[in-house]
Amino acid sequence: MSEIHKIAVLTSGGDAPGMNAAIRAVVRAGINNGFEVFGVYNGYLGLVEGDIRPLNRGSVTNIINRGGTILGTARLPEFQDMEVTKKGADNLKALGIDALVVIGGDGTYHGALRLTKCGIRCVGLPGTIDNDIACTEITIGFDTAVNTAVECIDKLRDTSNSHQRCSIIEVMGRNCGDIAYAAGIAGGCDLIITSETGYDEKVVMDLVSKAKRQKRRHILIVFTEHITDVSALAQKIKEQTGFDSRATVLGHIQRGGIPTPFDRILATRLGVKAVHELMAGNSGVVIGLQHNEAVAIPIEEAFKMEKNIFRKYAVEINTNASK
Ligand code: ATP
């Protein structure tokens, strides 16, 4: 396999705090190891449109503490079309770029796998707040998103307790309840409902009715998005139990903000590892954290792995809440 001289980096899919720290790590570790480094703007869209610009050490100054992504991100469903993928690969080849580090989620790795088949050496980094990537114990952005959610839950706890209210908090994580589990546990919530736990409205009504009888001052219930209309549920709780109830949808607030030190360190470690993998001649891999070590897993193998870190706690906490 020929030696690599030029590498590029892009961010794709939903943005996540810590993506900038990962870009910085790739750029600086790349330059320190003798590569020329390029940034691809707006994910696979920019790749196909040829929006690829050189990055130097200074290009990534002052970004380790910034949320979002300086490279921008986009979703381009057409990238599943091999002709479109090939155009992206050709744009890299035209600039003499041999390798690409992609920062994103599973969808982004599917794109990387296709690019690898077009002769571009790709390495993936797990950048997504949802923590829905099985090959890593934790994704870049998850810790910050959980911190944001817990901060909001703490605030809702204060006001719920003052007014004797039930607060329903909707967090992100359509296909993976990890934000709900982590924030729900840290926020001391009474019930956590996700796509994995299933949802029975009667359980909620029973919990709130019992709290009313016990003269409790607050109830905190966390839902992941797309389970139910939480505002309608809050109204129903009020009508059926007499316990005042409000819903708060945290939404995209969870995507933004200053990355936590944990996310910055994780992003830096995984970013440096990505460059080392390319130097070692490896590609078609995702970098993950396993047993606190940065490891490289073949993308196809990563797709077959199952997540299990946070989910098991939800059952315990919900069981405790119902006692
Ligand atoms: P997040 O978890 O934040 O949603 P993601 O990387 O999974 O991140 P997606 O929107 O699923 O986000 O994927 C990002 C981009 O990757 C897509 O817009 C598309 O350009 C590309 N992509 C997704 N799936 C494929 C696929 N099967 N083949 C080629 N490219 C794909």
Side-chain angles (χ1 to χ4, degrees):
M1 196 175 275
S2 61
E3 213 179 308
I4 296 175
H5 299 287
K6 296 182 183 179
I7 67 170
V9 57
L10 64 75
T11 49
S12 164
D15 67 341
M19 277 184 162
N20 280 329
I23 295 166
R24 175 180 178 274
V26 171
V27 170
R28 294 208 169 160
I31 291 169
N32 289 347
N33 286 289
F35 294 139
E36 269 183 64
V37 186
F38 292 73
V40 179
Y41 287 78
N42 301 317
Y44 291 132
L45 178 67
L47 185 67
V48 172
E49 288 177 347
D51 193 354
I52 305 166
R53 305 174 219 167
L55 297 175
N56 57 36
R57 206 181 177 287
S59 313
V60 291
T61 187
N62 208 20
I63 66 166
I64 194 162
N65 58 339
R66 280 172 57 194
T69 157
I70 59 159
L71 294 177
T73 183
R75 297 194 198 263
L76 181 71
E78 296 81 3
F79 205 68
Q80 296 183 37
D81 176 345
M82 208 56 195
E83 279 306 303
V84 179
T85 313
K86 199 172 161 303
K87 189 160 191 305
D90 288 346
N91 285 339
L92 290 172
K93 287 177 190 168
L95 292 167
I97 298 168
D98 321 279
L100 178 67
V101 177
V102 298
I103 308 169
D106 278 342
T108 300
Y109 309 149
H110 278 289
L113 210 50
R114 284 168 174 268
L115 281 168
T116 305
K117 285 173 189 153
C118 295
I120 301 296
R121 284 176 250 183
C122 292
V123 174
L125 288 178
T128 169
I129 62 165
D130 289 345
N131 208 35
D132 59 351
I133 299 173
C135 68
T136 185
E137 282 157 13
I138 198 146
T139 58
I140 298 163
F142 175 69
D143 186 63
T144 307
V146 169
N147 271 268
T148 301
V150 172
E151 192 185 335
C152 294
I153 291 169
D154 287 347
K155 288 176 176 167
L156 289 166
R157 171 188 282 275
D158 289 345
T159 182
S160 298
N161 189 273
S162 304
H163 287 268
Q164 200 163 10
R165 262 190 202 134
C166 168
S167 263
I168 298 172
I169 304 111
E170 184 185 285
V171 300
M172 293 188 97
R174 180 185 304 216
N175 303 313
C176 174
D178 283 12
I179 293 178
Y181 303 137
I185 292 166
C189 295
D190 297 280
L191 199 57
I192 300 167
I193 297 166
T194 71
S195 56
E196 296 121 4
T197 62
Y199 172 46
D200 180 354
E201 193 182 281
K202 187 174 176 307
V203 173
V204 174
M205 293 302 172
D206 288 351
L207 174 78
V208 181
S209 299
K210 191 170 161 190
K212 176 88 178 163
R213 287 196 302 277
Q214 292 172 331
K215 298 194 172 16
R216 285 184 57 192
R217 292 207 58 85
H218 64 264
I219 309 273
L220 299 168
I221 303 174
V222 181
F223 274 80
T224 48
E225 56 192 337
H226 300 286
I227 303 273
T228 191
D229 179 337
V230 287
S231 298
L233 177 65
Q235 186 60 31
K236 207 165 170 184
I237 289 172
K238 201 171 165 180
E239 286 164 10
Q240 289 193 8
T241 70
F243 208 108
D244 192 14
S245 185
R246 299 286 162 91
T248 305
V249 177
L250 301 190
H252 280 190
I253 282 176
Q254 295 157 96
R255 279 196 191 281
I258 297 169
T260 59
F262 181 92
D263 271 330
R264 298 181 207 184
I265 294 166
L266 177 68
T268 303
R269 288 180 68 193
L270 301 189
V272 170
K273 175 74 174 169
V275 171
H276 287 170
E277 286 302 308
L278 289 174
M279 288 164 64
N282 295 334
S283 68
V285 294
V286 187
I287 309 300
L289 194 76
Q290 291 182 1
H291 307 293
N292 203 26
E293 283 297 324
V295 293
I297 304 105
I299 293 177
E300 274 154 336
E301 209 178 287
F303 285 146
K304 292 184 202 139
M305 294 170 80
E306 268 193 47
K307 275 201 56 62
N308 61 6
I309 301 295
F310 281 92
R311 284 172 199 187
K312 60 185 177 200
Y313 299 121
V315 177
E316 291 170 31
I317 189 114
N318 285 344
T319 307
N320 287 341
S322 66
K323 276 180 190 157

